[in-house]
Amino acid sequence: MKKNKQKPPRKGWAKLFKKMHQQGDNELLIPDLYEDEKFLNDPKEWVWPVDSKK
């Protein structure tokens, strides 16, 4: 029986990502921050739950 030699996963990725960066093809496809997560950057907008056990 012959063993199927597979290349390691992600082999060559670093070279390809560097090439993408050099060509300006490395923009995010999905925004890093969604509209409903913007409150995380402004602590003044945080709402703390009231402790009902007091």
Side-chain angles (χ1 to χ4, degrees):
M1 196 173 349
K2 221 177 190 186
K3 240 185 174 181
N4 186 9
K5 289 189 178 185
Q6 293 181 339
K7 65 180 183 178
R10 299 179 185 93
K11 184 176 182 179
W13 282 23
K15 184 179 176 182
L16 293 173
F17 285 133
K18 185 175 183 178
K19 184 178 176 182
M20 285 176 62
H21 174 71
Q22 291 170 343
Q23 295 175 348
D25 188 25
N26 60 340
E27 293 181 25
L28 291 175
L29 298 176
I30 300 172
D32 208 19
L33 192 67
Y34 295 101
E35 288 295 319
D36 61 343
E37 292 177 312
K38 287 186 179 180
F39 75 93
L40 295 173
N41 293 327
D42 187 3
K44 293 176 187 172
E45 293 194 26
W46 293 359
V47 177
W48 299 98
V50 178
D51 187 5
S52 61
K53 294 181 182 178
K54 286 184 178 181

